[in-house]
Amino acid sequence: MIFTTSSALLDAVVLSVVSAEGSYGYKITQDVRSVMDVSESTLYPVLRRLQKDGFLETYDMEYQGRNRRYYKITSNGVILLDNYRREWIEYKKKIDSILLGITQE
């Protein structure tokens, strides 16, 4: 994709992926990479920052004899995600009006 990804958009996508079903790092990475070009080395710091800021929480569970770290969105994370979604809708309307000539009602 030729469009660059802002940190806010990446945060919004990560929070959305985790909110759909609390998930582990590798799965989150694969889900995010299905919609944007981003490396694992970029995503793990985002997960850590969102956790540090109180938007995600983690828990470990055994999977096939190893511990796997799972991520779950917090109530503050849900609030932030809702804000991102509202902002996205407005942003998309403005971009669509210019790029596609779509007028909004």
Side-chain angles (χ1 to χ4, degrees):
M1 182 177 292
I2 61 172
F3 298 104
T4 59
T5 304
S6 72
S7 61
L9 181 57
L10 183 55
D11 287 359
V13 169
V14 168
L15 288 171
S16 185
V17 165
V18 173
S19 74
E21 57 178 87
S23 196
Y24 56 97
Y26 179 76
K27 173 118 174 50
I28 294 167
T29 300
Q30 296 307 305
D31 291 346
V32 171
R33 290 175 81 183
S34 72
V35 296
M36 60 179 49
D37 186 25
V38 64
S39 68
E40 283 185 41
S41 62
T42 299
L43 277 175
Y44 279 99
V46 170
L47 289 167
R48 283 192 297 275
R49 181 177 44 75
L50 289 171
Q51 179 188 2
K52 180 178 136 299
D53 292 346
F55 302 119
L56 295 177
E57 58 188 27
T58 62
Y59 59 96
D60 293 339
M61 284 182 52
E62 186 179 327
Y63 177 78
Q64 296 182 348
R66 296 179 46 192
N67 271 344
R68 181 182 275 175
R69 175 150 296 165
Y70 288 84
Y71 294 83
K72 181 179 176 189
I73 194 166
T74 64
S75 57
N76 284 337
V78 170
I79 292 167
L80 180 62
L81 178 58
D82 287 343
N83 289 335
Y84 279 140
R85 286 175 171 162
R86 278 192 297 280
E87 289 291 323
W88 176 257
I89 290 167
E90 290 305 312
Y91 179 76
K92 184 179 176 315
K93 283 180 189 177
K94 291 175 184 176
I95 297 299
D96 283 350
S97 71
I98 302 251
L99 286 181
L100 305 175
I102 298 173
T103 57
Q104 304 299 319
E105 299 171 15

